[in-house]
Amino acid sequence: MEDIEKILNFVVEIEKLKDIYRKTKPVGLERFENSAEHSWHVCLTALMLKDYANDEVDINRVVKMLLIHDLGEFDAGDTIVYAGQTDEDKAKEAAGTSRLLNMLPDGMADEFLELWHEFEAGETADSRFAKAIDRVPPLLHNIHGDGHSWKTHGVTKEKVFSVNQRISLGSKELWSVLRNKLEDAVNAGILK
Amino acid sequence: MEDIEKILNFVVEIEKLKDIYRKTKPVGLERFENSAEHSWHVCLTALMLKDYANDEVDINRVVKMLLIHDLGEFDAGDTIVYAGQTDEDKAKEAAGTSRLLNMLPDGMADEFLELWHEFEAGETADSRFAKAIDRVPPLLHNIHGDGHSWKTHGVTKEKVFSVNQRISLGSKELWSVLRNKLEDAVNAGILK
């Protein structure tokens, strides 16, 4: 098969991400968000917030990471951040990502698989920032959406603060603004 | 208002792109595609096909262009490529893009507005390639989806070939593969 054909098959296969539904609804919409539109949203969010990363980041690498960070969900499904992922979930997601990227022509998968593992590990400046950004939209969805997924999943304010303070590992300034918004949500009674 | 607050307001505002529906359905799905998930899809498609651009491209600029290329659709709506855009449509889309980007802190909008206009004009290597990539998913949706939007909108094979041969301005090799696929679609009777 021609290399371009292989890439086009990959392009068709990843459409499945448009049918993987997450746990929050975009602001103003009555339906759940899918992982493809989420991926676009976090790329643009990262681009706009890059100057607030704690450490200097290579924003182009961050965007690449975020473009592919959810590819493994075809095979593993989306997990709410508050549930935590089991080792089995993580293994399924890694295998799913690898299966997809290996549809690409020889030699192309490696760069992206490395980026995916770097994102998952969250130990570099780029991945810490990418992971911080990945946490932003679900918070905004809840803050602007009457805490819908916090309520549905019985997520307490203690849990929301403790899990999301990891945003500060990528951007202290961003976490500071979001923490204030979460405190407002507590005061407004939508986060308990 | 703090700059981060302004960016977060922008991040919420652009969620509306998740509710702008296009004219084709993703492969395997029974619903129309929205412009947010489309934007993700073309970014990843560009990244994987970058080596097939006719001229050397700065793939990071191409991805940025594609991340923002549909922002103006909030105010203007999506137009099928075969209909062509009126000057009024174009002006609305430009105004919509400008309105959104001007929600960002002072000085941030300019870079992205310039990229958006560069994309629209399609006269540079980066924008020619980005525009070529933007045309790929609707073709794949039709090819793998019984020509659904061609049939609904009465688009003839002559129109499909003449409009999409502009893909060759960004990538001759890509157009060559897609032209073969379109010829197969004609032979299979789904493009008439």
Side-chain angles (χ1 to χ4, degrees), chain B residues 177-189:
Chain B
V177 171
L178 287 168
R179 196 180 46 209
N180 286 341
K181 287 185 183 291
L182 290 172
E183 277 160 11
D184 291 345
V186 171
N187 293 333

